[in-house]
Amino acid sequence: MVNQTASQDINVTIEDILFKEGLLSADQLSAVKLESINTGESADKILIQHNLVPIEKITQIKAQLLNVPFIKLEGKAIAADILNLIPEPAARRYKIIPFEKNGEELFVAMEDPLDIQIIQFIEKRSGMRVKPFLALEGDILKAIGDQYSQNLTSEVTSALNEVQSVSPEQQQSSEPEIIREAPVSNIVNQLLEYAIKTRASDVHIEPQEDRTRVRYRIDGILQEKILLPKGVHDALVSRIKILSVLKIDEKRLPQDGRFSFTYGKSEVDLRVSTVPTVFGEKVVMRLLPKTNAAPTLLELGLRGVSLKSLDVQLLRTHGIILICGPTGSGKTTTLYSILAKISTTKVNVLTVEDPVEYQIPGVNQVQVSPQVGLTFASALRSFLRQDPNIIMVGEIRDSETADLAIQAALTGHQVFSTVHTNSAAGAPPRLLDMGVEPFLLTSALNAVVGQRVVRKICQHCRVEYNAAPEVIESVKQNLGKFIPANQAAGMKLYKGQGCPQCGNTGYLGRTGIYEVLIISDAIGKLILEHASSNAIEELAVSAGMITMKQDGYLKVLEGITTLEEVLRVAQD
């Protein structure tokens, strides 16, 4: 450890610097010095105990005086081969963590960067020259907890060593045998277990020039969590291909497959896609939980006027209801929720999807297969001979599918589908662009639901704050008559501070923001006139439609999500 004399000198200097910077008053400076003399405690510990100055500021000044760099580890992904240089027990005991390599130099975050014995231990263990960095104790311990578990070091260390010990010649000659072995299987298992634990929807395994990056899409946002040595990439991809029943030796063309994985009580289907890139094959695995029942519309975030309007339309026995939004906005989940609500033993429900993501009890689901000629359009033609009451088409992509869906709706069937448009009002013009006749569209179309998905504020670390006057004014202008009575006078907003439950992001879970456009006679007239989406939206709003942005702002005022999230997904 740092000798007592050096420590005292440093602490006195820290006090003086804090005093000079105006962070300590003269009285506080005297009190700290007096307590240090009386108790024998170092001044920096007294400052921290009494919470007189933020601990990060004290640590930064200490780093400056020791002439070592200060490092913040939060949000930093550390490669598994770097973590492997120091075992987790030693890292915890000495409060150290390696985080980067530069040639023969190893960068190590330490609570005490002057501890020569620990530095010598690391250099002997790693065979590299250590460059010490000063970091907060809590920061180091959190990084140890996060990184060692995330980088799977307990299981992957041996796996990486075994995989990398195999020569390229051996890999060429016996690749299937190597990739079936336990080490690589363990890596895949750990990647998937971590995905389930963190509620990830997708896992991206991306080859780069010198590493393989693993990213997880959690609550709709991609987060880099793991870096693996490049040498393990081919074996990893091959193992996933075997599980997905794909061709191992085909590396020049994209491939698609699927397999199931069980972890504890969680069982998921994984949809696997591979594409060739400059540095190797990239793999994306989408996780589709088997056990999840379709959520109700209320659970998805639909409520109030929007939910009531949609419920009325669901009672109708014929016509089309469309769900709109960009990729990843939860359209399919909304469709499944609607089907789960209206599917009974008294109706025949048929769906055509690409692909079938969840199985719904009592619903006849068909997956398109263009290779054998089973497309949305051909499936729809067959459906009309299957005595259906309700038809769900995964997506209207072309004029043929659009025409068939319209015909099905006009001949007494209830039809549900999705269209890629930015707003509910944009759907009619999009269908007209596909060649649908305006008079047929106005007769068949009942309602359009526009939606986006926003992250929810973590309820474990949610705090209230006062927003800037211009922000409050903007919210009031957008909401207009929809401002809740209790918010009209004083407006409070909320945010997440970050905690272990939400991985320090401040967000946990997702919800939807919606707008429901009912095709009234007046809007039908606009469609006949080929009116723009803006004109349709203006008329719908004047008739009482709550827009997605307004629905988002209402959820902001309730403390469900943040203003930043709503603007991120619903800004014009």
Side-chain angles (χ1 to χ4, degrees):
M1 297 296 288
V2 180
N3 64 60
Q4 190 64 28
T5 307
S7 180
Q8 290 295 336
D9 289 341
I10 290 164
N11 291 327
V12 171
T13 312
I14 287 173
E15 298 166 16
D16 292 339
I17 290 174
L18 291 171
F19 174 64
K20 284 176 185 174
E21 291 188 5
L23 295 170
L24 278 182
S25 67
D27 289 343
Q28 287 174 326
L29 180 63
S30 300
V32 168
K33 286 184 175 181
L34 184 61
E35 188 174 336
S36 180
I37 292 166
N38 291 337
T39 63
E41 284 277 12
S42 62
D44 59 339
K45 286 184 180 176
I46 294 167
L47 289 165
I48 293 164
Q49 282 167 9
H50 294 294
N51 201 24
L52 294 172
V53 180
I55 186 171
E56 188 173 317
K57 181 65 178 175
I58 294 170
T59 311
Q60 285 175 343
I61 292 173
K62 189 185 280 190
Q64 184 184 333
L65 294 168
L66 293 173
N67 199 27
V68 295
F70 173 76
I71 181 74
K72 285 189 74 170
L73 298 166
E74 187 182 338
K76 196 170 185 64
I78 304 174
D81 57 334
I82 292 175
L83 285 176
N84 292 343
L85 296 172
I86 299 176
E88 186 177 357
R92 284 194 182 280
R93 182 179 174 188
Y94 299 119
K95 295 172 187 168
I96 56 175
I97 186 166
F99 62 90
E100 206 172 305
K101 280 195 294 191
N102 183 15
E104 290 301 309
E105 204 168 38
L106 180 65
F107 296 175
V108 182
M110 306 175 68
E111 185 195 20
D112 182 3
L114 297 186
D115 194 326
I116 302 300
Q117 286 185 325
I118 295 178
I119 291 173
Q120 288 174 342
F121 159 76
I122 300 168
E123 289 183 337
K124 188 174 180 182
R125 167 111 197 161
S126 65
M128 301 180 73
R129 188 171 69 257
V130 167
K131 180 176 181 178
F133 284 69
L134 181 64
L136 297 170
E137 178 188 355
D139 209 5
I140 293 171
L141 292 176
K142 185 183 182 307
I144 290 170
D146 290 348
Q147 297 293 336
Y148 278 92
S149 62
Q150 288 177 12
N151 278 283
L152 330 168
T153 47
S154 52
E155 288 82 7
V156 173
T157 303
S158 59
L160 291 176
N161 290 338
E162 287 185 41
V163 172
Q164 290 171 333
S165 66
V166 179
S167 68
E169 292 75 18
Q170 287 175 294
Q171 287 195 17
Q172 292 290 330
S173 62
S174 58
E175 192 176 58
E177 285 69 31
I178 291 168
I179 59 183
R180 286 175 198 269
E181 289 174 0
V184 178
S185 297
N186 275 344
I187 297 175
V188 174
N189 290 346
Q190 294 301 318
L191 290 175
L192 295 177
E193 284 176 18
Y194 183 72
I196 292 170
K197 280 190 258 183
T198 56
R199 303 169 294 103
S201 60
D202 301 83
V203 182
H204 293 236
I205 300 173
E206 302 169 309
Q208 296 182 317
E209 190 171 3
D210 55 347
R211 297 192 183 284
T212 290
R213 176 172 71 172
V214 182
R215 294 193 291 172
Y216 292 84
R217 191 175 290 282
I218 301 170
D219 289 337
I221 305 293
L222 272 175
Q223 299 179 22
E224 179 177 302
K225 293 288 185 182
I226 302 169
L227 296 170
L228 294 170
K230 187 65 183 286
V232 78
H233 182 80
D234 287 345
L236 200 62
V237 172
S238 296
R239 173 62 187 162
I240 293 167
K241 281 184 172 181
I242 283 179
L243 292 170
S244 313
V245 197
L246 300 178
K247 296 176 182 176
I248 301 173
D249 55 346
E250 180 54 82
K251 299 182 181 182
R252 299 164 300 167
L253 296 172
Q255 297 187 67
D256 295 301
R258 63 192 307 159
F259 67 96
S260 294
F261 182 78
T262 304
Y263 173 63
K265 293 182 180 178
S266 302
E267 189 176 1
V268 297
D269 271 334
L270 287 112
R271 217 169 68 211
V272 179
S273 170
T274 70
V275 293
T277 71
V278 175
F279 298 117
E281 286 183 282
K282 176 182 174 178
V283 178
V284 174
M285 296 183 280
R286 168 152 287 187
L287 281 76
L288 305 166
K290 280 187 177 180
T291 50
N292 281 10
T296 65
L297 294 173
L298 198 60
E299 288 169 344
L300 288 178
L302 257 167
R303 72 263 176 88
V305 178
S306 298
L307 180 58
K308 190 176 178 181
S309 300
L310 184 58
D311 278 341
V312 169
Q313 296 304 316
L314 293 179
L315 294 173
R316 300 178 70 171
T317 56
H318 59 87
I320 293 182
I321 293 178
L322 293 174
I323 315 293
C324 299
T327 303
S329 60
K331 299 187 298 294
T332 306
T333 304
T334 302
L335 279 180
Y336 283 155
S337 297
I338 289 172
L339 289 183
K341 181 183 173 90
I342 63 177
S343 174
T344 67
T345 54
K346 296 178 181 178
V347 292
N348 178 25
V349 185
L350 291 161
T351 78
V352 54
E353 305 169 57
D354 181 21
V356 173
E357 293 192 359
Y358 299 99
Q359 274 117 33
I360 310 169
V363 174
N364 306 288
Q365 295 172 273
V366 175
Q367 180 160 322
V368 300
S369 180
Q371 301 94 319
V372 295
L374 181 57
T375 62
F376 282 119
S378 62
L380 258 176
R381 282 198 195 89
S382 303
F383 282 3
L384 295 175
R385 296 190 290 273
Q386 286 280 319
D387 185 30
N389 297 99
I390 297 163
I391 296 172
M392 191 267 267
V393 184
E395 185 185 343
I396 294 178
R397 295 177 180 173
D398 51 51
S399 58
E400 188 180 9
T401 309
D403 286 336
L404 286 165
I406 296 283
Q407 291 302 326
L410 291 172
T411 52
H413 305 95
Q414 202 171 14
V415 180
F416 298 92
S417 190
T418 69
V419 179
H420 282 272
T421 59
N422 289 328
S423 66
R430 174 63 59 87
L431 291 173
L432 294 176
D433 286 344
M434 287 183 186
V436 175
E437 292 293 343
F439 66 92
L440 293 178
L441 184 58
T442 52
S443 304
L445 193 58
N446 291 341
V448 185
V449 179
Q451 70 176 78
R452 297 286 190 282
V453 175
V454 293
R455 291 182 291 172
K456 290 163 71 177
I457 297 171
C458 173
Q459 297 302 304
H460 301 283
C461 60
R462 190 182 80 163
V463 293
E464 192 179 90
Y465 73 97
N466 293 314
E470 59 268 24
V471 171
I472 292 172
E473 192 55 38
S474 171
V475 172
K476 285 182 177 177
Q477 281 180 1
N478 275 279
L479 282 178
K481 64 181 180 181
F482 297 116
I483 292 181
N486 63 336
Q487 297 273 7
M491 197 174 284
K492 296 284 186 182
L493 300 185
Y494 302 86
K495 62 182 177 182
Q497 283 185 308
C499 66
Q501 266 80 11
C502 60
N504 287 306
T505 61
Y507 296 99
L508 187 64
R510 292 193 286 174
T511 190
I513 56 174
Y514 299 88
E515 60 188 20
V516 178
L517 172 69
I518 304 302
I519 307 301
S520 61
D521 291 342
I523 288 176
K525 189 179 177 186
L526 286 181
I527 293 172
L528 286 171
E529 295 168 357
H530 284 262
S532 68
S533 58
N534 288 339
I536 293 172
E537 184 168 303
E538 280 175 23
L539 182 58
V541 168
S542 66
M545 181 183 85
I546 296 176
T547 66
M548 270 186 290
K549 200 169 184 181
Q550 288 173 330
D551 187 34
Y553 280 177
L554 288 170
K555 287 181 168 88
V556 167
L557 296 181
E558 290 174 41
I560 296 171
T561 187
T562 63
L563 206 56
E564 291 79 11
E565 273 297 289
V566 174
L567 294 174
R568 179 176 69 85
V569 302
Q571 184 67 286
D572 295 335

